[in-house]
Amino acid sequence: MDQSDQGLDRLSALLHVLPAENMPMTLSELDGYIVGVLACPEIILPSEWLPQVWGETGEAEFPDEQVAEETIGAVMAHYNSVVDAISDSLWVEPIYEIDPNSDKVLWEPWVDGFTRAMRLRPDAWSRLLDKADEETRATMIFLMALQDIYTGQSKFTVDEIDEIDLEAPDLIPNCVATIFYQSRPELAFGEPANRPDIPFKADFRPGRNDPCSCGSGRKYKQCCGRH
């Protein structure tokens, strides 16, 4: 994302100020949620999706007007940052949480945010699934399978889940790019939405722990993947 680390840290802190009992979104959940909102085949206005950010009740309960303005402004700044990233390259770098004890990448909150956005327009997503090419359909099913793993409803074996768990952080950006190509071509390409449906597979990007292709000798996440 183009947003600075300082800006994202401030956004995270503002979200944590919201009443915990309302279960407001974390930064990772918000990032996935915004991407899901933008990926929806139908336009969803902030007036509809913003209340879900504040928590299950939809009520923000900001401590004062200044905090309300700053929080809403920070959320919308991140929204615009995601729009810019998608418009520029059809690529997003998900904001994953990191387990502080093991340094393990936690993709689950991001996927939960994305699927929560899908629930805002279930019929639109169902129609997209029905008409999508094989690649996009498989991608959508994979993301829903990730949510099943997160919620404990998956029918995969323990070994299969362990393998998916390791691969998911690197696969999710490719999944998102594939979906955007068919769900929101006018946003991704700046072209009319009536372009013919053409099967699309996102360009390969190295995994976070793969050697960076620039030849620096460092891992991708520590080199070009930081930008």
Side-chain angles (χ1 to χ4, degrees), residues 148-178:
D148 286 342
I149 291 174
Y150 177 48
T151 58
Q153 301 177 29
S154 177
K155 296 181 180 179
F156 287 118
T157 67
V158 173
D159 289 342
E160 288 172 332
I161 290 176
D162 287 343
E163 183 176 354
I164 292 172
D165 187 39
L166 292 173
E167 296 177 349
D170 294 331
L171 294 176
I172 287 171
N174 289 281
C175 291
V176 171
T178 300

Side-chain angles (χ1 to χ4, degrees), residues 35-36 38-42 125 128 131 136 140 176-187 193 197:
V35 174
L38 290 169
C40 181
E42 296 180 358
W125 282 101
L128 178 64
K131 73 176 185 179
T136 306
M140 293 174 64
V176 171
T178 300
I179 290 172
F180 265 107
Y181 185 87
Q182 288 211 339
S183 70
R184 296 292 306 279
E186 79 285 5
L187 178 62
D197 288 334

Side-chain angles (χ1 to χ4, degrees), residues 118-138:
M118 293 178 71
R119 291 197 290 272
L120 295 175
R121 288 290 191 278
D123 291 343
W125 282 101
S126 180
R127 288 192 295 270
L128 178 64
L129 184 63
D130 289 341
K131 73 176 185 179
D133 61 77
E134 183 177 350
E135 180 70 25
T136 306
R137 186 177 296 111

Side-chain angles (χ1 to χ4, degrees), residues 45-189:
L45 298 177
S47 59
E48 181 177 354
W49 61 259
L50 263 177
Q52 300 298 316
V53 176
W54 317 138
E56 295 182 341
T57 65
E59 299 293 333
E61 299 183 27
F62 295 114
D64 55 56
E65 185 175 345
Q66 181 178 348
V67 172
E69 292 180 356
E70 184 178 4
T71 304
I72 294 172
V75 170
M76 295 309 300
H78 187 56
Y79 175 91
N80 292 330
S81 178
V82 177
V83 171
D84 290 342
I86 294 167
S87 301
D88 288 345
S89 63
L90 194 65
W91 192 262
V92 296
E93 293 287 351
I95 299 175
Y96 298 127
E97 294 182 9
I98 304 295
D99 186 329
N101 297 316
S102 64
D103 288 334
K104 181 179 181 293
V105 176
L106 303 176
W107 51 264
E108 292 91 342
W110 194 96
V111 168
D112 188 53
F114 188 94
T115 54
R116 286 171 70 177
M118 293 178 71
R119 291 197 290 272
L120 295 175
R121 288 290 191 278
D123 291 343
W125 282 101
S126 180
R127 288 192 295 270
L128 178 64
L129 184 63
D130 289 341
K131 73 176 185 179
D133 61 77
E134 183 177 350
E135 180 70 25
T136 306
R137 186 177 296 111
T139 292
M140 293 174 64
I141 292 172
F142 175 71
L143 286 177
M144 289 184 281
L146 290 181
Q147 180 67 1
D148 286 342
I149 291 174
Y150 177 48
T151 58
Q153 301 177 29
S154 177
K155 296 181 180 179
F156 287 118
T157 67
V158 173
D159 289 342
E160 288 172 332
I161 290 176
D162 287 343
E163 183 176 354
I164 292 172
D165 187 39
L166 292 173
E167 296 177 349
D170 294 331
L171 294 176
I172 287 171
N174 289 281
C175 291
V176 171
T178 300
I179 290 172
F180 265 107
Y181 185 87
Q182 288 211 339
S183 70
R184 296 292 306 279
E186 79 285 5
L187 178 62
F189 297 96

